[in-house]
Amino acid sequence: MNDSQFQQLLWNLKDNMLNFAFKLTANKEDAQDLTQETFLKALTHKDKFVDNKNFKGWVFTVMRNTFINDYHRLLRGQTLIDNEADLYKIDNVQDESNFSPETDLNLRELTHIITEMKEEYRLCFTLYVTGYKYQEIADKLQIPIGTVKSNIHTARGYLKSRLGGTK
């Protein structure tokens, strides 16, 4: 596939990408940023796409991985987990360049909502967002993988309902 065909395929997915990005970020501006970053990464790494494969799936995987990596980078940059006191208590690291009262409020609200979850949901969800795979969580907690998936799904639904998101 030549460069112009690749760019045309990518451009044709723009609306789908924006919708998917909005589902991931729940914020219009962040969704636009994520879509733009995905465009850039897809164009930069187009040599990694294999012809006759699912182009849309490949692009959405690039977007999802970008979102996850950015999310983990944000968590590492703004939060610390205090293992001594309470595993789920998150303290803000106040970096003057990235800190704002709105960010502080959002992190406190999110932390509060997560700590209110039932322990089995909170534990699975926390491990999942810190990068553990379903099977790793199941092994670590010694529970079936189906239970892990169910607990994470329930935790996400709880967060959406508490944060005012829609399905």
Side-chain angles (χ1 to χ4, degrees), residues 16-146:
N16 297 89
M17 291 170 65
L18 274 169
N19 289 335
F20 184 58
F22 186 76
K23 285 181 181 181
L24 291 172
T25 63
N27 179 294
K28 185 178 178 181
E29 290 81 22
D30 289 343
Q32 290 170 338
D33 290 345
L34 179 59
T35 301
Q36 185 176 17
E37 191 172 350
T38 303
F39 261 89
L40 181 62
K41 284 188 178 187
L43 290 170
T44 303
H45 300 288
K46 65 182 169 222
D47 57 310
K48 295 182 180 171
F49 174 70
V50 179
D51 281 339
N52 300 324
K53 294 291 179 185
N54 181 357
F55 183 75
K56 183 177 179 180
W58 181 77
V59 171
F60 279 35
T61 299
V62 170
M63 180 176 282
R64 186 198 62 194
N65 290 344
T66 300
F67 172 75
I68 291 170
N69 290 339
D70 289 349
Y71 178 75
H72 287 173
R73 191 174 305 116
L74 176 70
L75 282 181
R76 281 192 305 270
Q78 292 185 347
T79 60
L80 293 173
I81 297 178
D82 183 2
N83 290 325
E84 298 299 318
D86 182 1
L87 180 62
Y88 303 102
K89 192 170 205 154
I90 299 177
D91 296 324
N92 248 357
V93 175
Q94 295 187 11
D95 177 10
E96 299 299 324
S97 62
N98 293 331
F99 180 76
S100 74
E102 183 179 284
T103 302
D104 184 43
L105 178 63
N106 291 340
L107 285 173
R108 277 191 270 144
E109 179 184 7
L110 185 60
T111 302
H112 178 70
I113 292 170
I114 290 171
T115 59
E116 288 180 338
M117 282 184 206
K118 288 185 179 179
E119 184 177 1
E120 62 266 20
Y121 304 139
R122 180 178 62 228
L123 198 50
C124 288
F125 181 77
T126 303
L127 289 170
Y128 182 73
V129 298
T130 56
Y132 285 88
K133 307 256 186 265
Y134 291 131
Q135 189 61 54
E136 293 171 330
I137 297 168
D139 294 343
K140 187 174 186 74
L141 300 178
Q142 298 178 351
I143 58 176
I145 193 168

